[in-house]
Amino acid sequence: MSTEITKKPSVLFVCVHNAGRSQMAAAFLTTLGKGEIEVRSAGSQPADKVNPAAVEAMAELGIDMSSEIPKVLTTEAVKESDVVITMGCGDECPYFPGKRYEDWVLEDPAGQGVDAVRPIRDEIRTRIEGLIASLVPAAT
């Protein structure tokens, strides 16, 4: 009788400031992934705080991002992730063979109000649902 330990897939979301798009994506994946996926987010030039309009837009859906803090992108974070998703902001990530890289071209919510952030949030949610379906086999 063999016991196989299956490693959870891991995803890293990257944008410049790690204050809006990547934080919303990480929050959605954490919530919708139900613990089946390891989630990281980071930025090449992290902001001082998460975009308040992004926090408000996510709170409307019952997801609390108010305690999140932008984090700096490290080579280790990329190395430890199976999937690296940049958020349409031209970020250069360290490249490691065998990883899945995607670039999600999304409008930047920086400096915009919650009305402008909602459609970005909703697009991220749609993409996250597709990402989960590609990473976690459906329960039979």
Side-chain angles (χ1 to χ4, degrees):
M1 186 171 168
S2 71
T3 305
E4 185 178 319
I5 297 173
T6 305
K7 181 182 162 294
K8 282 191 218 181
S10 57
V11 177
L12 170 64
F13 296 102
V14 181
C15 68
V16 175
H17 300 296
N18 188 223
R21 294 165 290 192
S22 57
Q23 289 283 355
M24 288 189 286
F28 270 132
L29 187 54
T30 298
T31 301
L32 301 175
K34 298 179 177 139
E36 297 294 318
I37 300 168
E38 191 174 325
V39 183
R40 300 178 180 91
S41 72
S44 56
Q45 300 168 17
D48 294 332
K49 63 180 184 171
V50 174
N51 180 334
V55 172
E56 184 180 342
M58 294 299 283
E60 292 174 352
L61 301 179
I63 298 174
D64 181 9
M65 292 190 343
S66 62
S67 63
E68 293 300 323
I69 298 167
K71 294 168 272 316
V72 69
L73 175 65
T74 64
T75 301
E76 292 75 33
V78 177
K79 195 182 291 187
E80 293 170 6
S81 301
D82 299 312
V83 181
V84 178
I85 298 175
T86 55
M87 309 303 261
C89 41
D91 249 2
E92 291 296 318
C93 282
Y95 178 81
F96 293 97
K99 302 219 173 283
R100 176 171 148 194
Y101 289 87
E102 293 183 20
D103 184 43
W104 291 1
V105 179
L106 299 160
E107 190 176 337
D108 189 350
Q112 300 195 55
V114 72
D115 289 339
V117 173
R118 282 187 195 109
I120 301 166
R121 173 201 67 196
D122 296 343
E123 172 67 17
I124 291 171
R125 181 183 188 137
T126 299
R127 291 175 186 234
I128 291 297
E129 289 168 347
L131 179 66
I132 292 168
S134 76
L135 292 174
V136 180
T140 52

